[in-house]
């Protein structure tokens, strides 16, 4: 919404029909003309969305990565009990997908373009229940730095936002989440939690030339 308010023309992707029901109304409310299915575990899907982008616009100014997935049972109890498949899945969807998308977008990215990912403090410190997602976000954050180095010569910047806890679909059903929200608000300097619009405004900064000297952050 913030990018749209600042004049961006936006394309959206969704994983499946269940998520299309959430993404499409938002995308349409922002006048989006390109709303496509994409499973980041499938290289064909990634290639296909980039091809569709190419027919729609000559250059991509920015790419926003806002996907994560871990098996629900790995976001509760002990990290120690994470299965090999659960670990692989969380890393593939939540971290490798940024690398795959960035590479696929490379030929179409504008000079001075910007790539942005969303992360969370559970990558740096142990946050109860975050478990394998913390490991995946640590990989995502390191990927941001290495991608920033690779894209630097093209003047494409790569950054991530680590916001505080927000009640979104991705926090639905997480044990003790409401307690965490309350505690975070009490301890925060502003004595409140961040809202999606706060994150959106930081995103506009990182996606635009307002942050022209900022990369790998
Ligand atoms: C998620 C789990 C545990 C603690 C958590 C979160 N805290 C926060 C989140 C404290 C803020 C939300 N978050 C930052 C995430 O990255 C969530 C990722 C996520 C959520 C789900 C829920 C449903 C599901 N798989 C998921 N995979 C990743 O099946």
């Amino acid at each position: 919404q913030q990018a749209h308010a600042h004049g961006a023309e936006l394309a959206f992707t969704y994983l499946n029909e269940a998520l299309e029901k959430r993404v499409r109304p938002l995308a349409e409310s922002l006048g989006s003309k390109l709303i496509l299915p994409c499973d980041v575990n499938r290289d064909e899907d990634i290639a296909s969305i980039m091809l569709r982008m190419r027919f729609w616009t000559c250059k991509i100014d920015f790419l926003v990565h806002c996907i994560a997935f871990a098996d629900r049972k790995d976001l509760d109890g002990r990290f120690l009990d994470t299965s090999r498949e659960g670990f692989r899945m969380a890393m593939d969807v939540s971290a490798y997908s940024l690398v795959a998308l960035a590479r696929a977008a490379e030929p179409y990215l504008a000079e001075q373009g910007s790539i942005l990912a969303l992360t969370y403090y559970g990558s740096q410190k142990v946050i109860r229940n975050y478990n394998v997602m913390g490991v995946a976000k640590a990989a995502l954050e390191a990927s941001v730095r290495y991608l920033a180095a690779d894209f630097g010569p093209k003047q494409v910047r790569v950054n991530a936002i680590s916001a505080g806890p927000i009640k979104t679909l991705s926090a639905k059903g997480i044990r003790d989440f409401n307690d965490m929200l309350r505690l975070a608000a009490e301890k925060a300097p502003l004595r409140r939690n961040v809202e999606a619009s706060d994150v959106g405004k930081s995103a506009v900064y990182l996606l635009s030339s307002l942050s022209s000297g900022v990369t790998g952050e």
Side-chain angles (χ1 to χ4, degrees):
Q1 288 170 336
Q2 294 296 330
H4 173 71
H6 285 83
E9 282 179 64
L10 301 161
F12 289 81
T13 69
Y14 55 86
L15 173 62
N16 54 28
E17 273 180 41
L19 287 161
E20 180 181 7
K21 288 200 181 76
R22 293 170 179 274
V23 172
R24 186 171 287 280
L26 169 65
E28 285 176 349
S29 77
L30 304 177
S32 179
K33 297 284 180 303
L34 203 61
I35 308 169
L36 304 169
C38 181
D39 178 345
V40 292
N41 283 348
R42 294 162 47 96
D43 289 326
E44 318 87 85
D45 282 23
I46 293 175
S48 149
I49 60 164
M50 294 303 167
L51 216 56
R52 293 283 301 274
M53 283 292 294
R54 191 156 82 127
F55 284 116
W56 178 64
T57 180
C58 48
K59 280 289 167 198
I60 303 173
D61 294 308
F62 59 78
L63 171 71
V64 185
H65 178 276
C66 21
I67 47 174
F69 183 77
D71 192 321
R72 191 73 192 69
K73 71 174 183 304
D74 290 334
L75 298 173
D76 199 1
R78 307 193 308 168
F79 170 65
L80 190 57
D81 295 326
T82 309
S83 67
R84 186 183 296 273
E85 176 53 20
F87 192 101
R88 190 203 62 73
M89 178 67 130
M91 289 292 262
D92 201 354
V93 178
S94 312
Y96 182 72
S97 60
L98 176 69
V99 184
L101 287 164
R103 190 173 53 250
E106 186 183 11
Y108 315 121
L109 272 171
E111 278 253 329
Q112 329 242 326
S114 177
I115 297 176
L116 178 65
L118 299 186
T119 187
Y120 179 64
Y121 192 50
S123 63
Q124 309 294 315
K125 302 286 179 189
V126 171
I127 306 270
R128 190 158 12 114
N129 300 327
Y130 203 56
N131 296 0
V132 72
M133 272 310 304
V135 175
K137 289 298 195 187
L140 180 75
E141 290 170 21
S143 301
V144 163
R145 292 185 285 271
Y146 281 93
L147 290 172
D150 285 344
F151 275 111
K154 272 192 76 177
Q155 305 306 310
V156 169
R157 297 174 300 102
V158 190
N159 294 286
I161 294 175
S162 183
I166 306 184
K167 204 161 194 169
T168 60
L169 177 63
S170 84
K172 218 173 156 181
I174 303 301
R175 191 194 299 273
D176 303 331
F177 195 78
N178 285 334
D179 294 339
M180 190 162 297
L181 278 176
R182 186 175 44 76
L183 285 166
E186 281 172 13
K187 306 275 189 227
L190 297 176
R191 308 295 197 279
R192 67 168 180 87
N193 285 316
V194 289
E195 291 165 14
S197 62
D198 295 313
V199 180
K201 286 185 262 187
S202 293
V204 166
Y205 159 74
L206 288 170
L207 295 173
S208 71
S209 60
L210 287 172
S211 61
S212 51
V214 180
T215 193
E217 294 287 344

